[in-house]
Every structure is written in structure tokens, then in C-alpha cells.
């Protein structure tokens, strides 16, 4: 019952945002039916379109899961973007610097490097928070810039392909993830991502690791008292989060580009974080929301390509969509909302 | 200055609605794919200008796709090629890899790459000798910085250079600039900064002011969107700047000595024209340099008007002289790794 | 390398200049944080304010009107957030991020629709917020470099730090606000309308964010560029956390960042690799934060130790 | 004499449901002007809910609330305050980061222009401090004051707001006997000033001592209102629980075995200067209950935390069953045989946002059969917790219920069940019956005695002297982070222990504190 409500709510929210988007388009003199048709088409119809949706879905899914992992232990990890960049760079470096290794081993090495680097990067804000109580939002916002500059330095300096484009040499063909649904850029990284998400889901809901994360996230004092080290656990969750962020980067590099391109992610992880936040880090809803955002993004491309609706309006409508999608209680009817509020406010207040 | 020029940009987007079942003599369908957005007041806008000229003069049908997300560049590119456009133009070096990968898949479509080289029967490429243009700019700046009778110019032999992101092509600009300045005066000091971004004018402004405070009185802008801030700093501080890509002299008349023109518009126009006129020659690379007017400085007329008789005519003379020397090969301008005539 | 031209007296004003946009954003985040709301949407609010300011200034030629309208525009954006968050239970960070996207989109749309261009817009018809010019200082190089031509907003930013400290720690409203953020039930049982307070701070935050935007587009510069905030809103949030939601401490964070940023601008000119110089302000800010908390930690541990007698 | 008008508050046929529970189904409560009226009932009986409706925190679903004879609807805390109602909540409504003064004036600040007039506020508050002889420090922050002081701050807060009707929800749960005595003096002088007082408590002797009338509730329903003169504790207990209650379980001597806990010269940090532990030595043997008596905040919490690995030991050793566990991790210390009922069930004892099932298994999460490697076996966990729920009579019987939805007594039972079942060598029971109703107290005491009989050692800490006296075989008294005395249960009585708790000496104690603080054996 309760779960059903959640999905229905989401659906209703989407309908309302579409309606409002339509009103906006009408006011501006565009035909909403055609625009939505193209949005739909741009996301689903044809290999290129569907493939683009899937290709965009992969990093969104992984970065939102990375965010969810850290939020389990109560860490608000804005730093997935940095982990993604550095993980991508690590994968690219292993990918081109160790050419000649047997492909499967090479591929595993690429991912291992990305995970290690991503995890190491996440270790910094994780341990600062766990040991000194340094606010992680502050640190991760700042660290994202640092990560970007580090990769920018590498790709323009020591690891540059020297082609005039800020990129690394191409990775070995053996480690490139097979693309399917050509000419789109969808690639087998999708399946890797799904496996990662399933593993994480299992880890969070069925394993002692997940239990410990949840326990620490909800009440670190209690966790400490029953013998779970909150600091260690917090750092472990950040390591895992970073590793998943690194995987996201590796998949982008090995699946989409084949080399590291300076500045390749324009806020992928921010969108991932958004997907996670909209559904309040509910791990079951996250893939759905990530997919929804991917559909919007690739549908928007279609809308831009095949209708007269200019990009700026497409962007506006997408943004309005998302604003409405965040409103969880939009369809909780008045009386129930009040009851809900009462229950929430009756819990002893947050007294840090 | 340039702001108003691009105001027509909404028109082509509308014309893109492909009511495609047109008769055989339908206009040529051309798509421009940008690695970024229009409105950068430099590279992209310049290509856009060329395309608009082609539209006006050659009557083509134009579609432009902008995006700052690298993954979308590829899908935009492929979508346009697959959608039956006759000519698809990648407006950035960034399309090199994408075109190498996808152009063979569309043997019946023609492609053009601006600011990079891709081999292929159905592709034309064009590259620029930005180092040569910058050489002239550097020389002009180096001479200008000692003209102390112009208010705002100090006696220090110091000039500045502010770039956007620290990427290879900007180093190609810088190498030429440095060489040009040193050619005029070996003792000159050149301050170099990167903003780390192509779209933060405020950062550009701050860096420029910092260079002014360190003795520079003229700063070259190689920073796309960030550059608007560089130019504004010049005006606000009563100092000077050098524009880039497009003619930016009249953005702040009297503050911008000259602009280094990189005729992206010309390259774009020529590519379109070759298809319209049937002279398209797959595999050809056009190298736009000083000798063919692909890069140059403006005639400084705006500055001349602003300064009146204080305008240092010797700079113009010297530039003309240097231009000739570069053309004749007497001066060889260095290029950054991966650039220069191939 | 000449140290004297790097550590020049102009570095002081450069620091203020670089810190001011972040400072306004930080104050916008501080005030909501006091009510336990993380205002991630500062970035979008600022951008909207910047756009509104340029438009109004361009069309009416009045900077004052432009400033007012930018405040209203910022407030509208923040009230959307407040409404979604308080009434419809939107996750505050989600709606904040969404607002950032919306602001980016509508300003992009607006620049085309109202200003008839794309990307960026400058015009001599944009009237800037005046700078305070004191003719008396003109003849003294130092006084002139240090104190002359400050933008009104730069002065106002500093004033706001103290006004906000006063509001938070001296007034009735501030006391109530702090209780709302820390223990809403306690506030509720003292007869305080928690949600009303939350709406109020969001409104103030929107106004401040709008001003921050106006400062960017008609104070510090006279132009509008797509996404011209470029993460300054986020930096403001970071500064707010740096200062633990205390206005003065957040200001210190902004100054620290502004100082290292300005210093970096000078160091680059001497051939330091640009990326390292550019990442320096971020690293130093993290380091200072970590070290100061570590010192606090050590101090507290010492105070609690049984081996130490007071 | 029983005219309607003499009631200052009348609540009739009150109903209130939450999403899952009917908290109050037939609530009746009348308050006379100038009386102290106790409201008693088991945990979850609906006492707090009734009073929260009167204070406007919850809206009542049914029934009528009259204040001073006229019906009021749409109550909010603000309106309630305007009607002269003040409430001291079970969980203190004090903002930690603010000062005592700021907390008191919150919502009713005196101002000069825009600025808070702290001076006149201080003067006003000083009046109450003087009148009722309540000792508080207005400039301290809440997190720097003791629980007893926080209590007084809460009362002054209601008085400052001009309350004529003062609701006190379990005010004495956290007070020591001495503090309690003082507290009752305050209540009596308030009453003398014509204030009407609602007093919620689980401690029947207190209720008998202070009240004029007593209302009993059971499972959300009104049972009866009686005059104090017409009743006694046994009858009240029966009304509350619905059956006879036996609190004073006969103390059975178990066979005393080897030492399970040996603490030697322990020094550890403290939250306050007075609670720093400076050289404490003690031991607990198998089959005995050692009680630690002392006024809250004299280092008991710190001592327990240090033993349990939750606080760093700065000097000295802790041996558990012969194994040195000084400064080992809580996990390792548990592995060595420690089980621990912590003093604050909400803070440490439970994860309130996890299910009963998850809480029951919290200390065994890595052990077979609940986990194999990192794979959890939810079936085993569930059947295990169902067993414990049954055995310890936790209500509701649903292992998937969140613990935050449980009443205090049932929540405490979960902690007790988990720790007792963990079957260690030593059980530390810190305030095991704080805020728990009389029925639950009875069962918890019974359980502790069983644990002892099974040959475990128990270290009991309680602010409730009666509890320490009735359970312990040996009693240790702590004062300012040191042990001031130790005696066998036979020697102990309220007087000599009370003296030691205040830092004095007692003839009965066989250990004397030396200047350095190290206790001599
Ligand atoms: N001193 C030790 N001697 C023997 N084995 C040890 C020792 N310390 C740790 N181990 C073993 O190493 C493994 C990991 O150690 P640890 O105690 O850190 O567990 P953990 O996974 O960190 O627990 P938690 O996550 O609850 O903190 C466990 O199997 C533990 O039993
Ligand atoms: N906000 C709430 N949401 C849901 N259920 C609640 C809420 N508040 C109280 N309850 C439930 O209502 C019932 C009555 O609770 P109440 O707090 O009034 O009991 P009480 O008599 O004060 O008990 P205690 O002595 O433990 O404080 C309990 O079953 C409790 O779980
Ligand atoms: Mg000079
Ligand atoms: Mg209660």
C-alpha cells in the first residue's frame, strides 16, 4: 500500500509538471503536443535515441548510488563529481599506459585503479569528518574544484596525447566497452552499472555492512555502544561511495570516449545527486529517478533537434519538471499531510 | 558591439523544422554542431556569423546544435548526419575524434571540421595559425606599453596575457604572443595567467586587474566567455586590452588596441560555399594563416578615433612590416606541440 | 619573482573584491542555516538576481531600481524553494539544485527573449551601482589604492556581516530563529511559529542572494553572462559551513578564500603551473578549516582530561 | 463545595489517535485551582498525550477542553500560554546552544527598541530565583548545566511566562533524593502562591507525598480520580497496572564467585570538572550486585563509559574476567564478556529509527547464526527477536515496529532483553528503571536478580537511592569523581549513604578517601 503510493505520487507529479510545461509552451507559442511527442521520441524511439538515454542513464545511476551510500552513514557527499573525474583519469591512465596486457586483466586493472583512486579521494573528507568533525559539504564542494584542476593539469601536461585537444592517448582497444545500438554511444557499461547497483542494493539491505552503515547513520552513539566503530564505518562508507564514483568515471571513459577528455563531465554527479535527493535517498526509487532524469535529458536533445522549440525553452521546461518532481507531498491530501506533520514534529527535536 | 550582431540567431533555429519532403531543388541542408554555446563572443559566434552569411548569400537551410556536455556532442553530430543533412560541420577541435569515428559511416554526407584536421574522403578540415596572429598582437602590445604619452600607459616594459582554460591551443596563442613581443623588445616582461574556465568573466576581470597592478598596461584576451571580463577590466581601470577571434575593438572603444582575428567565419563560409558551388574536395585541409588572411589584426581604426593624434602610428607601420616578413617566411613563428602547418 | 609586486598593498582591496560576491552568498546561506535549512539554491538565486539587475538597469537606467528588482527576483526564487520545502516537503537540497537548474534555464531564455542576444550581454546603457570615490584620497597612492572606488556593495557587504551578527545574537527575532533551527519543538512550545520563521529567513536569503547577483552584474562588472555565478553560490555555502553559520566566521572564510585567490592571480604571472595556482585557494581553505578544528579538538580534549587540573 | 466553577481546567471525553495507535480513548481530567493534582499510569497510558492536548501541541480528536469555565478550541502552545498554562515536558524543551537566560525568555523576550533587554530579564528572573529559592546560573549554556538545574530552568520558564497552571511531566525522574526534596518545597510554595499544578510521575511514594488528588489512567482510558487521603500506594499501583504489584523483591544471596571486574586506579576525562574520574578502584564479583550511589554528575557516567570502552582511560587498568581490556574497543570489551544497559536508552541504548528486530540483534550482528560472513540471515534474526519479545513481554509484539513508536517502558525492555540475553560475565546496569512505570520496574528488578542468581556480576548505577538499596549486595558511593565510601548492604541506609553522596564521611564505610583521591583497601 505504502509503496504503491510512492510510485503513484511520482507519476502524478510527472503528469502535473508536464501539464505546467505545456502551459509554458503554449504561452510562448509552441505546440506542446508536438514537443512532448518529440521528447518521447527523443528518449525512446530509434537506436540513437534509446541508446542515448541508456548511455546517459549509466553515470546518473552510479553517481546517485554513490551519493546514497554515503548518505546511509549520514555523510552528505557532494564530492562524487571529483571522485568521478579522478576515477576516470585513473582508468584512462591504466588503459593507455599498460597496453599489451591481456584484455580481461587489463580491464579489471582499469576498474581497480578507478575504484582505488575514487575511494582514496573520498577518504579525505570522510576521515576529516569522522575524526575532526569537519563539515563534509564544505570540504567536498571545495575538493571538486581541486579534482578538476588535477585532471586538467594531467591531461594538458604529463598525460596529454599532444594532439591539440586536451585529452589523453586512447586506451587499449581491449579495455573499451563494447558499444551497442550504434550509432548511439550506449555501451556494455550499462550492465556493469546494473551489477554494481544490485550488489550495492544487496549490501545495503542484506548484509552486516549495510546494517552497520544504517546504524551509524541513524545513531552513531548507539552504534559505538553496541560495538560498531562509527568513525571506521563512516570512513568505510565514504570509501565505498568513492569507489562507486570512480567506477562511474571509469565506465564513462572506457564506454563513451575511449580516452580522458578534459572537463568531460559537466556536472554528471550533480545530476546524480539530484536524482538521489528527490527520492530522499530511497535506494529502491533511485534507479527510477535516475532513469527519469536520463529520459528527460536525452528527450530534451530530441526536442531540440526536431522541433522549433529553442534549447533555452527546452531547458526551462526540464527545470520546471524537476522542481515539481522534488515536491514529495504534492499529492498527499491536506488532512493526511497535517497528520504526517504532527507525527514528525512530535519526535523529539534535533538537538545536536 | 558584437552583442547585437548575433541577435538573429533565433531565426535559423526555427528554420530547422524540417518540412523535409521538398522538391529536388531544395536548398542545401547544413548543420553546425558546437562544442559549447553561442554567445561566447568569439569562436562559436564567429562560426555562426559565417554560417549566417552563407545562409544569406547562398540560400542554405541551417540548423545549429549547441551543448556543453561532451557526450552530447557526439550524439548531436550523429543525429544530424543520420537525419539527412548534406553538410555537417563540427565547430571545434573537439570534434576530431568524433568525426574520425563516425564520418566513414555516412559516405553520402559531407563533413567539415573547423580548427582541426581529420582525414577522410568526405571531410574538409581547416586549421588556423593562431600563433602567427598572436605574434602580431604581441608585437603591437610590446610597442604600445612604452607609449607613456597615452594616459594609462606606464613606462614599465610589461604586458599581460590572460587565457581561459589551460589547454594546448592557448599555448599556441601564447607562444606567438611571446615571440612577437620579444621580437620588438627582448627585455619585455610578459605576465601569463589562466582563469581555468572559459565562462567566468569575473575571474577574467580579477586576473586582468592583478596583471595591471603588477605593471602591465595592456593585456591580451584569449579566454572566450571569460574574456568579456578582461575587456571590461581594461575599460574600468583605464588600461588596455587586445581582443581575440572576432573584432572586439568596439566593445569598449578606446580601451581595446586591436583584436587578433581568427577567421572562423571565413572557414565556415568557405566550407559551405565549396559544397554549394560543387568544389568540395574531400580530404583537403585549409590552413588559414597570415598569408591568406585567415588570421590578422584589426586595422585599429577604433583606437585611432579614440586617441586622435596621440595614436602611435608607428605600431601600425611596424605591424604591416612584420606581416610581410611572416608572409615571406623571413620570420618563422614558433608553434606549440601539435600545432602549426601539417 | 618580485615579492613586492605580489604582496602589494593592492592585494588588500583585491581580496575584498574577490570575497564580496561569495560573502553575500555566504550570508544568504548563514541566515537559512540558522533555521536548519541548507540553502543550496543560493547559486540560482544569485543568477536570477544578476539577470534581473542587468535587465532593469539596461531598460530603465536606474541602478537603484535594478537592485530592488533583483532583490525581488531573488526573493521569488527563494519563496518557490520555501514553498516546495516547507509546504510540499521537498528535500531542501533537491529543490535547491532544481532551482539552480531553473535559474540557469530561465536566464538563458531571458537573455534571448529580453536582451536579444545569446551567451553574454554588455552595453554602455547598463548603469552600475555607484562606486564611492573620495577625491581627497586621489593624491595619495596608498589611500587611493586601498580605499578609493569601493563599490557600494562591497561596503554594504561588510556592514551586513555586522548587521546580521546583531540580528542573530542581539535581537528577539534572532534568538527565536536560533531556537527554531536547533530545536524546533522547543520553539513551538514557546509559542513561536516555526514555519513562519522559516519562510522569513528564506525571504531574507532570497533578498540577499538577489543582491549578490546584482553585485555581480551591475556592481563588480556591468554585464550578464550565462551562468555568470560560476559556483560562487556554492562557495558561499562552503564559506557558511566554514564559519559554522556564524556571519563573522563565514566572512573570515570568504576573506581567506578571496586572499588566496587574489594571491594566486599574481603568482600565476610568474610561471607557476596554472592548475596548481588555481586549486590553491580551495586546498588552503580546507587546510585551514581542518587545522582549526583539530586545534579545537585538542583543546577540548585537554579541558576534559582528568590529568589536568584547572 | 463541588461546584463546577472551582475547576480551572476541565477535560472531558477526550480522544486522540495517532496513525497507528489510539493514544487516548476516554480521557477525563479536572484540575482545581491551587491544588497539586497527580496524573499517573503505566508507560504509554496516555498521560503525556493528555497534557500535550491541553498545552495545544496536539489537537484532540474528540471531547471538550475548558479552561476557567469556558470551552477552548484550536489550542496552540501560544494560546495555551496566554491562558496561563505552562508545561515542563518529559523531554526538556531547552535549546542546548543557548544560555539558560535565553531559554527562559524565549518567545517572551523583554526588549528595548529592537534589542533584547537582558538586564531587565535577569532582574525578573532573579525574582523567581529568590522567591522559590531555586538555584540557577543564567549565563551558563544548557549543555553546561546539570539535569537538576535544567529542571529548575524549565520551571522558571513556565513561571516567567506567567503560568498559573503548571504541568510537570515526570519532573522527578532525573532528580536525586536531595534534589527531589528541594523540588517538592518549590512545588509547595508554588501551591501556596495559588498556582495549580499537574504532576505526572511513576513514583508512587512521591505522588502520595505531594498530591492533593490523583487521577489514574490505563491504556488511554480514565480509571479514577481519588483524594490522597482516601488511598495508598498499593491501591494506586493496582489501579495503574490492573493487578497487585510487588516492588520489594526479596534479596536473595547468590553464591559469590571470582572477580569479574577489577578496576585499578582509573583516571578518565570528564564532561565537567567535577565528573572527572581521578583514581577510582573497585571490583565486582560473580554473583553479586554492586550498586554505585551518588548524585548525578559526580562521574558515574564517565566511569561506566571508561569501563565499557566508550571513553579513553587516561591512567589505570580495567580487567574483565581477568583480561586486561583497558582502552580496548567497545567490540573487544563486549567480546571479553561485558553487557551494558546504558543510562540513556534513546541516546545510546536504542536506534530509535530501526526496528525492534534490528535493535534486538544489534550486539550480535556479526555472529552466527545471524550472519555468515557479511550475509545477514533475516529469518534467524526475526525468530530470535520474536522469542525475546515474548520472553520479556515487549508490547507491541511486532518485531518490525520502529522502536521510536514504543513507550518508555517497552523501549527499556528491549535494551534489557538484548543485554541480558547476550549472556556476558558482567552486566552494567545504568539507571535501568529511569522513566519506567511501576510494572516495568518490577520486572526489570526481577530480571536483575535472576541474572545475579545465574552467577553474573552486576554493576548497578542509579540515582534512585531506593533502587540501589533494595538491589545491591555492596554499595559504593561516588562524589566528585572519587569513591567516598563502600559498604555492605546491611550497613547501608538512606542516612549514611546520603551523607557520603554529599561528600561527607560516614562511620559505616570501610574505606576512607585520602587527600590524593586514591582509595585505600
Ligand atoms: N587483535 C586481533 N586479533 C585477532 N583478530 C583480530 C584482531 N583485531 C581484529 N581481528 C579480526 O579482524 C577482523 C576485522 O577486525 P575488526 O575488529 O576491525 O572488525 P570490523 O569489521 O572493523 O568491525 P566493525 O565494522 O564492527 O568495526 C575481524 O574478523 C576481527 O576478528
Ligand atoms: N507522536 C506520536 N505518534 C505516534 N504515537 C504516539 C505519539 N505520541 C505518543 N504516541 C503513542 O501514544 C500512546 C500514549 O503515549 P504517551 O506519551 O501519552 O504515554 P505516557 O503515558 O506519557 O507514557 P510515559 O510514561 O512512557 O511517558 C503510546 O502508545 C505512544 O506510543
Ligand atoms: Mg608599460
Ligand atoms: Mg509521557
Amino acid at each position: 500500500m505504502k509503496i504503491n503510493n510512492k510510485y503513484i505520487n511520482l507519476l502524478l507529479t510527472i503528469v502535473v509538471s508536464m501539464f505546467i510545461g505545456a502551459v509554458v509552451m503554449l504561452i510562448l507559442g509552441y505546440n506542446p503536443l508536438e514537443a512532448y511527442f518529440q521528447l518521447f521520441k527523443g528518449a525512446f524511439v530509434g537506436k540513437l535515441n534509446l541508446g542515448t538515454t541508456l548511455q546517459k542513464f549509466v553515470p546518473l545511476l552510479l553517481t546517485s548510488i554513490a551519493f546514497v551510500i554515503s548518505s546511509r552513514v549520514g555523510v552528505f557527499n557532494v564530492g562524487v563529481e571529483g571522485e568521478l573525474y579522478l576515477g576516470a583519469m585513473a582508468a584512462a591512465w591504466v588503459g593507455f599506459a599498460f597496453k599489451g596486457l591481456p584484455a580481461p586483466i587489463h580491464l579489471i586493472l582499469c576498474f581497480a585503479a578507478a575504484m582505488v583512486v575514487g575511494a582514496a579521494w573520498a577518504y579525505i573528507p570522510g576521515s576529516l569528518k569522522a575524526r575532526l568533525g569537519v563539515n563534509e559539504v564544505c570540504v567536498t564542494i571545495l575538493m571538486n574544484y581541486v579534482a578538476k584542476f588535477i585532471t586538467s593539469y594531467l591531461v594538458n601536461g604529463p598525460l596529454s596525447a599532444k594532439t591539440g585537444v586536451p585529452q589523453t592517448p586512447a586506451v587499449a582497444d581491449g579495455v573499451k566497452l563494447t558499444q551497442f545500438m550504434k550509432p548511439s554511444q550506449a555501451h556494455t557499461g550499462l550492465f556493469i552499472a546494473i551489477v554494481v547497483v544490485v550488489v550495492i542494493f544487496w549490501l545495503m539491505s542484506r548484509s552486516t555492512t549495510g546494517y552497520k552503515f544504517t546504524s551509524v547513520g541513524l545513531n552513531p552513539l548507539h552504534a559505538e555502544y553496541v560495538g560498531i566503530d562509527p568513525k571506521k564505518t563512516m570512513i568505510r562508507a565514504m570509501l565505498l561511495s568513492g569507489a562507486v564514483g570512480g567506477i562511474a568515471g571509469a565506465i564513462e571513459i572506457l564506454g563513451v570516449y575511449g580516452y580522458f577528455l578534459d572537463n568531460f563531465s559537466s556536472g554528471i554527479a550533480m545530476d546524480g545527486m539530484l536524482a538521489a535527493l528527490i527520492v530522499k535517498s530511497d535506494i529502491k526509487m533511485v534507479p527510477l529517478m535516475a532513469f527519469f532524469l536520463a529520459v528527460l535529458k536525452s528527450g530534451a536533445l530530441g526536442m531540440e533537434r526536431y522541433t522549433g522549440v529553442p534549447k533555452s525553452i527546452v531547458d526551462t521546461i526540464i527545470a520546471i519538471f524537476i522542481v515539481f518532481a522534488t515536491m514529495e507531498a504534492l499529492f498527499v491530501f491536506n488532512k493526511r499531510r497535517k497528520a504526517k506533520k504532527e507525527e514528525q514534529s512530535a519526535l523529539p527535536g534535533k538537538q545536536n | 558591439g558584437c552583442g547585437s550582431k548575433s541577435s538573429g540567431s533565433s531565426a535559423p533555429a526555427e528554420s530547422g523544422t524540417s518540412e523535409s519532403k521538398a522538391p529536388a531543388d531544395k536548398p542545401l541542408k547544413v548543420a553546425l554542431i558546437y562544442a559549447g554555446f553561442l554567445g561566447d563572443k568569439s569562436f562559436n559566434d564567429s562560426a555562426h556569423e559565417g554560417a549566417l552569411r552563407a545562409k544569406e548569400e547562398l540560400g542554405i537551410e541551417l540548423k545549429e546544435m549547441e551543448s556543453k556536455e561532451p557526450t552530447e556532442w557526439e550524439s548531436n553530430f550523429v543525429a544530424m548526419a543520420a537525419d539527412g543533412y548534406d553538410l555537417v560541420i563540427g565547430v571545434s577541435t573537439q570534434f576530431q575524434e568524433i568525426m574520425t569515428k563516425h564520418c566513414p559511416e555516412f559516405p553520402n554526407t559531407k563533413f567539415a571540421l573547423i580548427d582541426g584536421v581529420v582525414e577522410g574522403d568526405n571531410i574538409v578540415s581547416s586549421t588556423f595559425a593562431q600563433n602567427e596572429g598572436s605574434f602580431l598582437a604581441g608585437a603591437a602590445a610590446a610597442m604600445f606599453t612604452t607609449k607613456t604619452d597615452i594616459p594609462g600607459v606606464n613606462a614599465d616594459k610589461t604586458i599581460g596575457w590572460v587565457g581561459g582554460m589551460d589547454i594546448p591551443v592557448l599555448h599556441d596563442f601564447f607562444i606567438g604572443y611571446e615571440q612577437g613581443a620579444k621580437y620588438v623588445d627582448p627585455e619585455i616582461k610578459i605576465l601569463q595567467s589562466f582563469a581555468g574556465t572559459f565562462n567566468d568573466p569575473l575571474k577574467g576581470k580579477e586576473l586582468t586587474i592583478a596583471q595591471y597592478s603588477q605593471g602591465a598596461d595592456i593585456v591580451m584576451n584569449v579566454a572566450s566567455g571569460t574574456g568579456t571580463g578582461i575587456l571590461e577590466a581594461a575599460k574600468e581601470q583605464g588600461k588596455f586590452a587586445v581582443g581575440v577571434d572576432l573584432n572586439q575593438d568596439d566593445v569598449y572603444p578606446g580601451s581595446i588596441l586591436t583584436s587578433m582575428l581568427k577567421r572562423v567565419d571565413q572557414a565556415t563560409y568557405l566550407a559551405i560555399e565549396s559544397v554549394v558551388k560543387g568544389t568540395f574536395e574531400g580530404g583537403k585541409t585549409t590552413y588559414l594563416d597570415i598569408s591568406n588572411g585567415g588570421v590578422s589584426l584589426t586595422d585599429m581604426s577604433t583606437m585611432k578615433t579614440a586617441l586622435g593624434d596621440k595614436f602611435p602610428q608607428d605600431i601600425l607601420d611596424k605591424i604591416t612590416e612584420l606581416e610581410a616578413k611572416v608572409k615571406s617566411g623571413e620570420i618563422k613563428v614558433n608553434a606549440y606541440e601539435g600545432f602549426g602547418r601539417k | 619573482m618580485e615579492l613586492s609586486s605580489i604582496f602589494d598593498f593592492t592585494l588588500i582591496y583585491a581580496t575584498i573584491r574577490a570575497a564580496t560576491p561569495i560573502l553575500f552568498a555566504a550570508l544568504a546561506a548563514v541566515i537559512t542555516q540558522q533555521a536548519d535549512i541548507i540553502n543550496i539554491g543560493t547559486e540560482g538565486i544569485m543568477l536570477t538576481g544578476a539577470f534581473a539587475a542587468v535587465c532593469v538597469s539596461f531598460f530603465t537606467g536606474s541602478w537603484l531600481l535594478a537592485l530592488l528588482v533583483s532583490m525581488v527576483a531573488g526573493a521569488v526564487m527563494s519563496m518557490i524553494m520555501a514553498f516546495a520545502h516547507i509546504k510540499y516537503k521537498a528535500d531542501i537540497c533537491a529543490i535547491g539544485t532544481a532551482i539552480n537548474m531553473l535559474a540557469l534555464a530561465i536566464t538563458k531564455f531571458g537573455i534571448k527573449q529580453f536582451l536579444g542576444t545569446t551567451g553574454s550581454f554588455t552595453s554602455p546603457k547598463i548603469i552600475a551601482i555607484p562606486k564611492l570615490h573620495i577625491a581627497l584620497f586621489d593624491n595619495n597612492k596608498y589611500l587611493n589604492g586601498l580605499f578609493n572606488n569601493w563599490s557600494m556593495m562591497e561596503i554594504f557587504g561588510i556592514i551586513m556581516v555586522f548587521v546580521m551578527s546583531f540580528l542573530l545574537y542581539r535581537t528577539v527575532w534572532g534568538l527565536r530563529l536560533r531556537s527554531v533551527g536547533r530545536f524546533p519543538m522547543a520553539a513551538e512550545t514557546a509559542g513561536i511559529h516555526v514555519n513562519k520563521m522559516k519562510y522569513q529567513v528564506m525571504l531574507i536569503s532570497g533578498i540577499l542572494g538577489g543582491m549578490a547577483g546584482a553585485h555581480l552584474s551591475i556592481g563588480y562588472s556591468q554585464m550578464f553572462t550565462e551562468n555568470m555565478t560560476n559556483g560562487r553560490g556554492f562557495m558561499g555555502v562552503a564559506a557558511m559551513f566554514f564559519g559554522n553559520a556564524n556571519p563573522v566566521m563565514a566572512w573570515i572564510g570568504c576573506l581567506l578564500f578571496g586572499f588566496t585567490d587574489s594571491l594566486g592571480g599574481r603568482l600565476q604571472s610568474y610561471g607557476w603551473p596554472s592548475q596548481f595556482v588555481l586549486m590553491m585557494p580551495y586546498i588552503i581553505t580546507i587546510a585551514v578549516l581542518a587545522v582549526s578544528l583539530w586545534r579545537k579538538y585538542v583543546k577540548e580534549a585537554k579541558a576534559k582530561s582528568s590529568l589536568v587540573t584547572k | 463545595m463541588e461546584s463546577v466553577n472551582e475547576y480551572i481546567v476541565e477535560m472531558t471525553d477526550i480522544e486522540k489517535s495517532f496513525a497507528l495507535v489510539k493514544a487516548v480513548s476516554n480521557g477525563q481530567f479536572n484540575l482545581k485551582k491551587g491544588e497539586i493534582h497527580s496524573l499517573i499510569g503505566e508507560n504509554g497510558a496516555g498521560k503525556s498525550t493528555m497534557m500535550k492536548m491541553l498545552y495545544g501541541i496536539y489537537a484532540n480528536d474528540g471531547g471538550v477542553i475548558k479552561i476557567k469555565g469556558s470551552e477552548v478550541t484550536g489550542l496552540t502552545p501560544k494560546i495555551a500560554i496566554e491562558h496561563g498554562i505552562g508545561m515542563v515536558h518529559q523531554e526538556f524543551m531547552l535549546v542546548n546552544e543557548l544560555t539558560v537566560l535565553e531559554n527562559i525568555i524565549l518567545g517572551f523576550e523583554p526588549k528595548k527598541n529592537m534589542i533584547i533587554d537582558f538586564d531587565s530579564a535577569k532582574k525578573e528572573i532573579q525574582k523567581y530565583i529568590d522567591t522559590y529559592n531555586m538555584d540557577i546560573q543564567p549565563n551558563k549554556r544548557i549543555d553546561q548545566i546539570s539535569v537538576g538545574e535544567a529542571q529548575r530552568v524549565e520551571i522558571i520558564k513556565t513561571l516567567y511566562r506567567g503560568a498559573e497552571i503548571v504541568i510537570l511531566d515526570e519532573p522527578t525522574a532525573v532528580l536525586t533524593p536531595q534534589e527531589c526534596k528541594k523540588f517538592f518545597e518549590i512545588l509547595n510554595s508554588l501551591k501556596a502562591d495559588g498556582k495549580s499544578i499537574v504532576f505526572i510521575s511513576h513514583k508512587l511514594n512521591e505522588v502520595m507525598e505531594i498530591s492533593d488528588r490523583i487521577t489514574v489512567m490505563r491504556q488511554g482510558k480514565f480509571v479514577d480520580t481519588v483524594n490522597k487521603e482516601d488511598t495508598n500506594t498499593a491501591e494506586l499501583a493496582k489501579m495503574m497496572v490492573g493487578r497487585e504489584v510487588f516492588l520489594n523483591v526479596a534479596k536473595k544471596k547468590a553464591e559469590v564467585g571470582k572477580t569479574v571486574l577489577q578496576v585499578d586506579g582509573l583516571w578518565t576525562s570528564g564532561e565537567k570538572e567535577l565528573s572527572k574520574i581521578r583514581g577510582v578502584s573497585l571490583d565486582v564479583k560473580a554473583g553479586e550486585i554492586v550498586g554505585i550511589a551518588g548524585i548525578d554528575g559526580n562521574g558515574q557516567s564517565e566511569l561506566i563509559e571508561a569501563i565499557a570502552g566508550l571513553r579513553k582511560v587516561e591512567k589505570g587498568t580495567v580487567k574483565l574476567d581477568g583480561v586486561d581490556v583497558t582502552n580496548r574497543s567497545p567490540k573487544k570489551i563486549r567480546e571479553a564478556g561485558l553487557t551494558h544497559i546504558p543510562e540513556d536508552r534513546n541516546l545510546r541504548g536504542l536506534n530509535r529509527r530501526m526496528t525492534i528486530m534490528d535493535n534486538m540483534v544489534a550486539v550480535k550482528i556479526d555472529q552466527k547464526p545471524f550472519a555468515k560472513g557479511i550475509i545477514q540471515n533475516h529469518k534467524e534474526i526475526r525468530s530470535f527477536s520474536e522469542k525475546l519479545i515474548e520472553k520479556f513481554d515487549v508490547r507491541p509484539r511486532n518485531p518490525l515496529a520502529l522502536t521510536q513508536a514504543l513507550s518508555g517502558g517497552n523501549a527499556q525492555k528491549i535494551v534489557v532483553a538484548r543485554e541480558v540475553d547476550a549472556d556476558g560475565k558482567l552486566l552494567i546496569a545504568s539507571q535501568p528503571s529511569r522513566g519506567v512505570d511501576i510494572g516495568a520496574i518490577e520486572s526489570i528488578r526481577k530480571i536483575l536478580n535472576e541474572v545475579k542468581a545465574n552467577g553474573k556480576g552486576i554493576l548497578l548505577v542509579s540515582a534512585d537511592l531506593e533502587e540501589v538499596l533494595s538491589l545491591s549486595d555492596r554499595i559504593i558511593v561516588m562524589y566528585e569523581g572519587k569513591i567516598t565510601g563502600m559498604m555492605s548492604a546491611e550497613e547501608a541506609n538512606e542516612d549514611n549513604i546520603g551523607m557520603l553522596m554529599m561528600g561527607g564521611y560516614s562511620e559505616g564505610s570501610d574505606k576512607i578517601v585520602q587527600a590524593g583521591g586514591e582509595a585505600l583497601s
Side-chain angles (χ1 to χ4, degrees), chain A residues 343 346, chain D residues 18 21 23 42-49 58 90 170 202 405-408 435:
Chain A
E343 252 167 74
Chain D
F18 294 106
V21 277
E42 283 188 286
N43 289 121
K47 308 177 295 285
S48 299
T49 306
Y58 300 146
Q90 197 165 359
E170 291 194 36
H202 288 299
L406 300 185
S407 72

Side-chain angles (χ1 to χ4, degrees), chain B residues 131-188:
Chain B
N131 56 336
E132 291 183 3
S134 301
F135 179 89
L136 300 181
M143 292 179 72
F144 187 79
T145 190
T146 52
K147 311 285 181 207
T148 44
D149 54 331
I150 299 170
V153 177
N154 59 25
D156 288 9
K157 291 181 175 175
T158 306
I159 62 174
W161 184 97
V162 175
M165 285 184 71
D166 191 346
I167 58 172
V169 65
L170 263 60
H171 287 279
D172 199 36
F173 272 98
F174 184 76
I175 279 185
Y177 186 72
E178 189 177 30
Q179 194 184 348
K182 294 253 152 106
Y183 184 87
V184 168
D185 183 349
E187 279 170 22
I188 196 117

